[in-house]
Amino acid sequence: FQVAFAPSGQSASVPKGTLLSDAATQAGLTIATPCGGQGRCGRCLVRVDRGEVSQPDNPHLSREQQEKGWVLSCQSRVTGDAVVHVPPKKELQELAVRMAASKVAVPLACGLPFQPALQRVFLELPPPSLEDSAAVLDRLQRALQERLGRRVSVSLPLLRNLAATLRSFDWQVSATVHLGNGSGEGELIDLAPGRTRAPLLGTAVDIGTTNVVAELVDLRSGKVLGSASARNKQVLRGEDVISRIVYSQGPGGLEELQALVVDTINEVLSELAQQQNRSTSEIHELVAAGNTTMMHLFLGLPPRHIRQEPYVPTASHPPLVRAGELGLAINPLAPVYAMPSVAAYVGGDITAGVLSSCLFK
Ligand code: FES
C-alpha cells in the first residue's frame, strides 16, 4: 500500500501490516519513539487524514483524539493506502500537554490515598513587639508546629534572609514544608508572600540512557499538568551504559557526565515550566528514576564497580539530596528522591515501573 506523509509529501510503498513508524522511516522521515515503540510514552502521534490503519486501544488517547484520527505510529499498522499527517514538534508538544493533563499521580491511579511529602500552609504571624520579643525563627517555628503538629527546621540559606523576608511579607506567608525525610521533623523549603494561589509543583523524571522524560505534577490535586522530553546529552559520550561507565573513569569524565544529564533535565524542566507559564524555581520536589548507572551518574557517584565482578553499586537506596547540590535549576532546597534500585542491573527504573503500573498492589 502507498502511505503518503504530510506536510513533507514523502511517501513509501509498504506491505500490509507495516507499522506506521516503520513506513515513515522507509519514506525517509524520522518519528521519535522515546519509549522504544512500546506504546507507553504517547510521543509518536500522527493523524490519519485519509485511509485506515489498524490500532489497538490505547489509554494515551482520548476518545476525541481518536475520532479526529490521531494514532500512535509505533502501534498502528497499515491496512490500505493512507495519507498521514506528521505534526511538527510544537503541535506534538501541545498534544502531549493535553494528553498528560488526563493523567494523575501514581497513588491516585492505583486507588491509594494521595499524600505528598510537601505541604503548603498559610500563616499569619504576630509581629514582634515589646511584649512578645521572641526571635523571628522561634515565632515561625511556633506557628508551623501549631499547624503541622511537628517541629520544622529551617536551613541556613533561608534563615539568613528570614527576618527581612517575613517583614517584607508583612508577617503573612505561605510556607512550603517537606514532611517526608523520615525523621518526623519537617523542613522549610520556601516562603511566599500572603496566601498564594500558585500550584504546588513537583516533577517526576525518567532518566533514560537515550532520552529524559519529565512530568510536572500538581502536588495538591495529584494531576499531571504536562510532560516534556529531550535526548540525554550524555549520548555524546557513549550510547550505552558500559561506554558511559568507561568514559566516567577518565579524567573529569564523571563530572562531565553528571553535568550533561543535569543540563538535559534542566532543559526539559524549563520547557515544562514554560508550558504552564510558571518558573522552574516554583518546582519544589523532584523524583528521578533510571537504571543503576544512570542514577549513579545523576548523583555523581562513581559507577565503575557496576561493570566489575561482583557488580556492586555504591548505593541501592541513595540518600535524599537537595536540588542545589546537584545543579538542578529548581528551588535549590527542593528534596530530590532517587528511586531505589534492586541490584547493579535491576535499577530504579524497574522499581518505578512496578509502582507506576500498580503491580505492587
Ligand atoms: Fe512511545 Fe509510540 S514511541 S508510544
Coordinates of all heavy atoms in Angstrom, one line a residue, residues 89-170:
K89 N 7.1 19.7 15.7 CA 7.4 19.5 17.2 C 6.4 20.3 18.1 O 5.9 19.8 19.1 CB 8.8 19.9 17.4 CG 9.3 19.5 18.8 CD 10.8 19.6 18.9 CE 11.2 19.1 20.3 NZ 12.0 20.1 21.1
K90 N 6.1 21.5 17.7 CA 5.3 22.4 18.5 C 3.9 21.8 18.7 O 3.4 21.7 19.8 CB 5.2 23.8 17.9 CG 4.6 24.8 18.9 CD 5.0 26.2 18.4 CE 4.5 27.3 19.3 NZ 3.2 27.1 19.9
E91 N 3.3 21.3 17.6 CA 2.0 20.7 17.7 C 2.0 19.5 18.6 O 1.1 19.2 19.4 CB 1.5 20.4 16.3 CG 0.0 20.0 16.2 CD -0.4 19.6 14.8 OE1 0.3 19.9 13.8 OE2 -1.5 19.0 14.6
L92 N 3.1 18.7 18.4 CA 3.2 17.5 19.2 C 3.3 17.8 20.7 O 2.7 17.1 21.5 CB 4.5 16.8 18.7 CG 4.6 15.3 18.9 CD1 3.4 14.6 18.3 CD2 5.9 14.8 18.3
Q93 N 4.0 18.9 21.0 CA 4.2 19.3 22.4 C 2.8 19.7 23.0 O 2.4 19.3 24.1 CB 5.1 20.5 22.5 CG 6.6 20.1 22.5 CD 7.5 21.2 22.3 OE1 7.0 22.4 22.1 NE2 8.8 21.0 22.4
E94 N 2.0 20.4 22.2 CA 0.7 20.8 22.7 C -0.2 19.6 22.9 O -0.9 19.5 23.9 CB 0.0 21.7 21.7 CG 0.6 23.1 21.7 CD 0.3 24.0 20.5 OE1 -0.5 23.5 19.7 OE2 0.9 25.0 20.3
L95 N -0.1 18.6 22.0 CA -0.8 17.4 22.2 C -0.4 16.6 23.4 O -1.2 16.1 24.2 CB -0.6 16.5 21.0 CG -1.4 16.8 19.7 CD1 -0.9 16.0 18.5 CD2 -2.9 16.4 19.9
A96 N 0.9 16.6 23.6 CA 1.5 15.9 24.8 C 1.0 16.5 26.1 O 0.7 15.8 27.0 CB 3.0 15.9 24.8
V97 N 0.9 17.9 26.1 CA 0.4 18.6 27.3 C -1.0 18.1 27.5 O -1.4 17.8 28.6 CB 0.5 20.1 27.1 CG1 -0.2 20.8 28.2 CG2 1.9 20.5 26.9
R98 N -1.8 18.1 26.4 CA -3.3 17.7 26.6 C -3.4 16.3 27.1 O -4.2 15.9 27.9 CB -4.0 18.0 25.3 CG -4.7 19.3 25.3 CD -5.5 19.6 24.1 NE -4.7 20.2 23.1 CZ -4.7 20.0 21.8 NH1 -5.6 19.1 21.3 NH2 -4.0 20.7 21.0
M99 N -2.5 15.4 26.5 CA -2.6 14.0 26.9 C -2.2 13.8 28.3 O -2.8 13.1 29.1 CB -1.7 13.2 26.0 CG -2.3 12.9 24.7 SD -1.1 12.3 23.5 CE -0.4 10.9 24.4
A100 N -1.1 14.5 28.7 CA -0.6 14.4 30.1 C -1.6 14.9 31.1 O -1.8 14.4 32.2 CB 0.7 15.1 30.3
A101 N -2.4 15.9 30.7 CA -3.4 16.5 31.6 C -4.5 15.6 32.0 O -5.2 15.8 32.9 CB -4.0 17.8 30.9
S102 N -4.6 14.5 31.3 CA -5.6 13.5 31.7 C -5.1 12.5 32.7 O -5.8 11.6 33.1 CB -6.2 12.8 30.4 OG -5.2 12.1 29.8
K103 N -3.8 12.6 33.0 CA -3.2 11.6 33.9 C -3.1 12.1 35.3 O -3.2 13.3 35.5 CB -1.7 11.3 33.4 CG -1.7 10.6 32.1 CD -0.3 10.5 31.6 CE 0.6 9.5 32.4 NZ 2.0 9.5 31.9
V104 N -3.0 11.2 36.2 CA -2.9 11.6 37.6 C -1.6 10.9 38.2 O -1.1 9.9 37.6 CB -4.1 11.2 38.5 CG1 -5.3 12.1 38.1 CG2 -4.4 9.7 38.3
A105 N -1.2 11.3 39.4 CA 0.0 10.7 40.0 C -0.3 9.3 40.4 O -1.5 8.9 40.5 CB 0.3 11.6 41.3
V106 N 0.8 8.5 40.6 CA 0.6 7.1 40.8 C -0.3 6.7 41.9 O -1.2 5.8 41.7 CB 2.0 6.5 41.1 CG1 1.9 5.0 41.5 CG2 2.9 6.6 39.8
P107 N -0.3 7.2 43.1 CA -1.2 6.7 44.2 C -2.6 6.8 43.7 O -3.4 5.9 43.9 CB -0.9 7.7 45.4 CG 0.4 8.2 45.1 CD 0.6 8.3 43.6
L108 N -3.0 8.0 43.1 CA -4.4 8.1 42.7 C -4.7 7.1 41.6 O -5.8 6.5 41.6 CB -4.6 9.5 42.1 CG -4.7 10.6 43.2 CD1 -4.7 12.0 42.6 CD2 -5.9 10.4 44.1
A109 N -3.8 6.9 40.7 CA -4.0 6.0 39.6 C -4.2 4.6 40.1 O -4.9 3.7 39.5 CB -2.9 6.0 38.6
C110 N -3.5 4.2 41.2 CA -3.6 2.9 41.8 C -4.7 2.8 42.9 O -4.7 1.8 43.7 CB -2.2 2.5 42.4 SG -0.9 2.4 41.1
G111 N -5.5 3.9 43.1 CA -6.6 3.8 44.0 C -6.1 4.0 45.5 O -6.8 3.5 46.4
L112 N -4.9 4.6 45.7 CA -4.4 4.8 47.0 C -4.6 6.3 47.5 O -4.7 7.1 46.6 CB -2.9 4.4 47.1 CG -2.6 3.0 46.7 CD1 -1.1 2.8 46.6 CD2 -3.2 2.1 47.8
P113 N -4.5 6.5 48.8 CA -4.6 7.9 49.2 C -3.4 8.7 48.6 O -2.3 8.2 48.5 CB -4.5 7.9 50.7 CG -4.4 6.4 51.1 CD -4.3 5.6 49.9
F114 N -3.6 10.0 48.3 CA -2.6 10.8 47.8 C -2.0 11.7 48.9 O -2.7 12.5 49.4 CB -3.2 11.7 46.7 CG -2.2 12.6 46.0 CD1 -1.1 12.1 45.3 CD2 -2.4 14.0 46.1 CE1 -0.2 12.9 44.7 CE2 -1.5 14.8 45.4 CZ -0.4 14.3 44.8
Q115 N -0.8 11.4 49.3 CA -0.2 12.1 50.5 C 1.2 12.6 50.1 O 2.2 11.9 50.5 CB -0.1 11.1 51.7 CG -1.5 10.6 52.2 CD -1.4 9.5 53.1 OE1 -0.5 8.6 53.0 NE2 -2.3 9.4 54.1
P116 N 1.2 13.7 49.4 CA 2.6 14.2 49.0 C 3.4 14.6 50.2 O 2.8 14.9 51.3 CB 2.2 15.4 48.1 CG 0.8 15.7 48.4 CD 0.1 14.5 48.9
A117 N 4.7 14.5 50.1 CA 5.6 14.8 51.2 C 5.7 16.3 51.4 O 6.3 16.8 52.3 CB 6.9 14.2 51.0
L118 N 5.2 17.1 50.4 CA 5.2 18.5 50.5 C 3.9 19.1 50.9 O 2.8 18.6 50.4 CB 5.6 19.2 49.2 CG 7.0 19.2 48.7 CD1 7.1 20.1 47.5 CD2 8.0 19.7 49.8
Q119 N 3.9 20.1 51.8 CA 2.6 20.8 52.1 C 2.9 22.2 52.1 O 4.0 22.7 52.5 CB 2.1 20.3 53.5 CG 1.2 19.2 53.5 CD 0.5 19.0 54.8 OE1 0.2 19.9 55.5 NE2 0.2 17.7 55.1
R120 N 1.8 23.0 51.8 CA 2.0 24.4 51.9 C 0.9 24.9 52.8 O -0.3 24.5 52.7 CB 1.8 25.1 50.5 CG 2.0 26.6 50.6 CD 1.7 27.2 49.3 NE 2.7 27.0 48.2 CZ 2.4 26.8 47.0 NH1 1.2 26.8 46.5 NH2 3.4 26.7 46.1
V121 N 1.3 25.7 53.8 CA 0.3 26.2 54.8 C 0.5 27.8 54.9 O 1.5 28.3 54.7 CB 0.6 25.6 56.2 CG1 0.1 24.2 56.3 CG2 2.0 25.8 56.7
F122 N -0.7 28.4 55.0 CA -0.7 29.8 55.2 C -0.6 30.2 56.7 O -1.3 29.6 57.5 CB -2.0 30.4 54.6 CG -2.2 31.9 54.8 CD1 -1.3 32.8 54.3 CD2 -3.2 32.3 55.7 CE1 -1.5 34.1 54.5 CE2 -3.4 33.7 55.9 CZ -2.5 34.6 55.3
L123 N 0.3 31.1 57.0 CA 0.5 31.5 58.4 C 0.3 33.0 58.5 O 0.9 33.8 57.7 CB 1.9 31.1 58.8 CG 2.3 29.7 58.7 CD1 3.8 29.6 58.9 CD2 1.6 28.8 59.6
E124 N -0.3 33.4 59.6 CA -0.4 34.8 60.0 C 0.4 34.9 61.3 O -0.1 34.5 62.3 CB -1.8 35.3 60.2 CG -2.5 35.7 58.9 CD -3.9 36.2 59.1 OE1 -4.7 35.3 59.4 OE2 -4.1 37.4 59.0
L125 N 1.6 35.5 61.2 CA 2.4 35.5 62.4 C 2.2 36.8 63.1 O 2.1 37.9 62.5 CB 3.9 35.4 62.0 CG 4.3 34.2 61.2 CD1 5.7 34.3 60.7 CD2 4.1 32.9 62.0
P126 N 2.2 36.7 64.4 CA 2.2 38.0 65.2 C 3.5 38.8 65.0 O 4.6 38.2 65.2 CB 2.0 37.5 66.6 CG 2.5 36.2 66.7 CD 2.4 35.6 65.3
P127 N 3.4 40.0 64.6 CA 4.6 40.8 64.5 C 5.3 41.0 65.9 O 4.6 41.0 66.9 CB 4.2 42.2 64.0 CG 2.8 42.0 63.6 CD 2.2 40.8 64.3
P128 N 6.6 41.1 65.9 CA 7.3 41.2 67.2 C 6.9 42.5 67.9 O 6.5 43.5 67.2 CB 8.8 41.3 66.8 CG 8.9 40.9 65.4 CD 7.5 41.1 64.8
S129 N 6.9 42.5 69.2 CA 6.5 43.7 70.0 C 7.3 43.6 71.3 O 8.0 42.6 71.6 CB 5.0 43.7 70.3 OG 4.7 42.6 71.1
L130 N 7.3 44.7 72.1 CA 8.0 44.6 73.3 C 7.4 43.6 74.2 O 8.2 43.0 75.1 CB 7.9 46.0 74.0 CG 8.8 47.1 73.4 CD1 8.5 48.4 74.1 CD2 10.2 46.7 73.5
E131 N 6.1 43.3 74.1 CA 5.5 42.2 74.9 C 5.9 40.8 74.4 O 6.0 39.9 75.2 CB 4.0 42.3 74.9 CG 3.4 43.5 75.7 CD 3.7 44.8 74.9 OE1 3.6 44.8 73.7 OE2 4.1 45.8 75.5
D132 N 6.1 40.7 73.1 CA 6.4 39.4 72.5 C 7.7 39.6 71.7 O 7.6 39.9 70.5 CB 5.2 38.9 71.6 CG 5.6 37.6 70.9 OD1 6.6 37.0 71.3 OD2 4.8 37.2 70.1
S133 N 8.8 39.4 72.3 CA 10.1 39.6 71.6 C 10.8 38.3 71.2 O 12.0 38.3 71.2 CB 11.0 40.5 72.5 OG 11.2 39.8 73.7
A134 N 10.0 37.3 71.0 CA 10.6 36.0 70.6 C 11.3 36.2 69.3 O 10.9 37.0 68.4 CB 9.5 35.0 70.4
A135 N 12.4 35.5 69.1 CA 13.1 35.6 67.8 C 12.3 35.2 66.6 O 11.3 34.5 66.7 CB 14.3 34.7 67.9
V136 N 12.6 35.8 65.5 CA 11.8 35.5 64.2 C 11.7 34.0 64.0 O 10.6 33.5 63.6 CB 12.5 36.3 63.1 CG1 11.9 35.9 61.8 CG2 12.5 37.8 63.3
L137 N 12.8 33.3 64.1 CA 12.8 31.9 63.8 C 11.8 31.2 64.8 O 11.0 30.3 64.4 CB 14.2 31.3 63.9 CG 14.3 29.8 63.8 CD1 13.8 29.3 62.4 CD2 15.7 29.3 64.0
D138 N 11.9 31.6 66.1 CA 11.0 30.9 67.1 C 9.5 31.2 66.7 O 8.7 30.2 66.8 CB 11.3 31.5 68.5 CG 12.7 31.1 68.9 OD1 13.2 30.1 68.4 OD2 13.2 31.7 69.9
R139 N 9.2 32.4 66.3 CA 7.8 32.6 66.1 C 7.3 31.9 64.8 O 6.2 31.4 64.8 CB 7.4 34.1 66.1 CG 8.0 35.0 65.0 CD 7.7 36.5 65.2 NE 8.2 37.0 66.5 CZ 7.5 37.6 67.4 NH1 6.2 37.7 67.2 NH2 8.1 38.0 68.5
L140 N 8.2 31.7 63.9 CA 7.8 31.0 62.7 C 7.7 29.5 63.0 O 6.7 28.8 62.7 CB 8.9 31.1 61.6 CG 8.7 30.3 60.3 CD1 7.4 30.7 59.6 CD2 9.9 30.3 59.4
Q141 N 8.6 29.0 63.8 CA 8.6 27.5 64.1 C 7.4 27.2 65.0 O 6.7 26.2 64.9 CB 9.9 27.1 64.8 CG 11.0 27.0 63.8 CD 12.3 26.5 64.4 OE1 12.7 27.0 65.5 NE2 13.0 25.6 63.8
R142 N 7.0 28.2 65.9 CA 5.9 28.0 66.8 C 4.6 27.9 65.9 O 3.8 27.0 66.1 CB 5.8 29.3 67.7 CG 5.2 29.1 69.0 CD 5.5 30.2 69.9 NE 5.1 31.5 69.4 CZ 5.6 32.7 69.8 NH1 6.4 32.7 70.8 NH2 5.3 33.8 69.2
A143 N 4.5 28.8 65.0 CA 3.3 28.7 64.1 C 3.2 27.5 63.3 O 2.1 26.8 63.1 CB 3.2 30.0 63.2
L144 N 4.4 27.0 62.8 CA 4.4 25.8 62.0 C 4.1 24.6 62.8 O 3.4 23.7 62.4 CB 5.8 25.6 61.3 CG 6.0 26.6 60.1 CD1 7.5 26.6 59.7 CD2 5.1 26.2 58.9
Q145 N 4.6 24.6 64.1 CA 4.3 23.5 65.0 C 2.8 23.4 65.2 O 2.2 22.3 65.2 CB 5.0 23.7 66.3 CG 4.7 22.7 67.4 CD 5.6 21.5 67.4 OE1 6.8 21.7 67.2 NE2 5.1 20.4 67.7
E146 N 2.2 24.5 65.4 CA 0.7 24.6 65.6 C -0.1 24.0 64.5 O -1.0 23.2 64.6 CB 0.2 26.0 65.9 CG 0.3 26.4 67.4 CD 0.1 27.8 67.6 OE1 -0.6 28.5 66.8 OE2 0.7 28.4 68.6
R147 N 0.4 24.4 63.2 CA -0.4 24.0 62.1 C -0.1 22.5 61.7 O -1.0 21.8 61.2 CB 0.0 24.9 60.9 CG -0.6 26.3 60.9 CD -2.1 26.2 60.9 NE -2.6 25.5 59.7 CZ -2.8 26.2 58.5 NH1 -2.5 27.4 58.4 NH2 -3.3 25.5 57.5
L148 N 1.2 22.1 61.8 CA 1.5 20.8 61.3 C 1.8 19.7 62.3 O 2.0 18.6 62.0 CB 2.8 20.9 60.4 CG 2.7 21.8 59.2 CD1 4.0 22.1 58.6 CD2 1.7 21.2 58.2
G149 N 1.8 20.2 63.6 CA 1.9 19.2 64.7 C 3.3 18.6 64.8 O 3.5 17.5 65.2
R150 N 4.3 19.3 64.2 CA 5.6 18.8 64.3 C 6.6 20.0 64.2 O 6.3 21.1 63.7 CB 5.9 17.8 63.2 CG 5.9 18.4 61.8 CD 6.3 17.4 60.8 NE 5.1 16.5 60.5 CZ 5.3 15.4 59.9 NH1 6.4 14.9 59.5 NH2 4.2 14.6 59.6
R151 N 7.8 19.7 64.7 CA 8.9 20.7 64.6 C 9.3 20.8 63.1 O 9.4 19.8 62.4 CB 10.0 20.3 65.5 CG 11.0 21.4 65.8 CD 12.2 20.8 66.5 NE 13.5 21.2 65.8 CZ 14.0 22.4 65.8 NH1 13.4 23.3 66.5 NH2 15.1 22.7 65.1
V152 N 9.6 22.0 62.7 CA 10.0 22.3 61.3 C 11.4 23.0 61.4 O 11.5 24.0 62.0 CB 9.0 23.1 60.5 CG1 9.5 23.4 59.1 CG2 7.7 22.3 60.4
S153 N 12.4 22.4 60.8 CA 13.7 23.0 60.8 C 13.8 24.0 59.6 O 13.1 23.9 58.6 CB 14.8 21.9 60.7 OG 14.7 21.3 59.5
V154 N 14.7 24.9 59.8 CA 14.9 26.0 58.8 C 16.4 26.0 58.5 O 17.2 26.1 59.4 CB 14.5 27.4 59.3 CG1 14.7 28.4 58.3 CG2 13.0 27.3 59.7
S155 N 16.8 25.8 57.2 CA 18.2 25.7 56.8 C 18.8 27.1 56.8 O 18.1 28.1 56.7 CB 18.3 25.1 55.5 OG 17.7 25.9 54.5
L156 N 20.1 27.1 56.9 CA 20.8 28.4 57.0 C 20.5 29.3 55.8 O 20.3 30.5 56.0 CB 22.3 28.1 57.1 CG 23.2 29.3 57.4 CD1 22.8 29.9 58.8 CD2 24.7 28.8 57.5
P157 N 20.5 28.9 54.5 CA 20.2 29.8 53.5 C 18.9 30.5 53.6 O 18.8 31.8 53.4 CB 20.2 28.9 52.2 CG 20.9 27.7 52.6 CD 20.7 27.5 54.0
L158 N 17.8 29.8 54.1 CA 16.6 30.5 54.4 C 16.6 31.4 55.6 O 16.1 32.5 55.7 CB 15.4 29.5 54.6 CG 14.8 28.9 53.3 CD1 13.8 27.9 53.7 CD2 14.2 30.0 52.5
L159 N 17.4 30.9 56.6 CA 17.5 31.6 57.9 C 18.1 33.0 57.7 O 17.8 34.0 58.3 CB 18.3 30.8 58.9 CG 18.3 31.3 60.3 CD1 17.0 31.5 60.9 CD2 19.2 30.4 61.2
R160 N 19.1 33.0 56.8 CA 19.9 34.3 56.6 C 18.9 35.4 56.2 O 19.2 36.6 56.5 CB 20.9 34.1 55.5 CG 22.1 33.3 56.0 CD 23.3 33.3 55.1 NE 24.4 32.7 55.7 CZ 25.1 31.7 55.2 NH1 24.8 31.2 54.0 NH2 26.1 31.2 55.9
N161 N 17.9 35.1 55.4 CA 17.0 36.2 54.9 C 15.7 36.2 55.6 O 14.8 37.0 55.3 CB 16.7 35.9 53.4 CG 18.0 36.1 52.6 OD1 18.8 37.0 52.8 ND2 18.2 35.2 51.6
L162 N 15.5 35.3 56.6 CA 14.2 35.1 57.2 C 13.6 36.4 57.8 O 12.5 36.8 57.5 CB 14.3 34.1 58.3 CG 13.0 33.6 58.9 CD1 12.2 32.9 57.8 CD2 13.2 32.6 60.0
A163 N 14.4 37.2 58.5 CA 13.9 38.4 59.2 C 13.4 39.4 58.2 O 12.3 39.9 58.3 CB 15.0 39.0 60.1
A164 N 14.2 39.6 57.1 CA 13.8 40.6 56.1 C 12.6 40.0 55.3 O 11.7 40.8 55.0 CB 15.0 40.8 55.2
T165 N 12.7 38.7 55.0 CA 11.6 38.2 54.2 C 10.2 38.3 54.9 O 9.3 38.8 54.3 CB 11.8 36.7 53.9 OG1 13.1 36.5 53.3 CG2 10.8 36.0 53.0
L166 N 10.2 37.9 56.2 CA 8.9 37.9 56.9 C 8.4 39.4 57.0 O 7.2 39.7 56.9 CB 9.0 37.3 58.2 CG 9.2 35.7 58.2 CD1 9.3 35.1 59.5 CD2 8.0 35.1 57.5
R167 N 9.3 40.3 57.3 CA 8.9 41.7 57.4 C 8.4 42.2 56.1 O 7.3 42.9 56.0 CB 10.1 42.6 57.9 CG 10.3 42.4 59.4 CD 11.4 43.4 59.9 NE 11.4 43.2 61.4 CZ 12.2 42.4 62.0 NH1 13.0 41.6 61.4 NH2 12.2 42.3 63.4
S168 N 9.1 41.8 55.0 CA 8.6 42.4 53.7 C 7.2 41.7 53.3 O 6.5 42.3 52.5 CB 9.6 42.1 52.6 OG 9.7 40.7 52.3
F169 N 6.9 40.5 53.8 CA 5.6 39.9 53.5 C 4.6 40.3 54.6 O 3.5 39.7 54.6 CB 5.8 38.4 53.6 CG 6.6 37.8 52.5 CD1 7.1 36.5 52.5 CD2 7.0 38.6 51.4 CE1 7.9 36.0 51.5 CE2 7.9 38.1 50.4 CZ 8.3 36.8 50.4
D170 N 4.9 41.3 55.4 CA 4.0 41.7 56.5 C 3.5 40.6 57.4 O 2.4 40.6 57.8 CB 2.8 42.4 55.8 CG 2.1 43.4 56.7 OD1 2.8 43.8 57.7 OD2 1.0 43.7 56.5

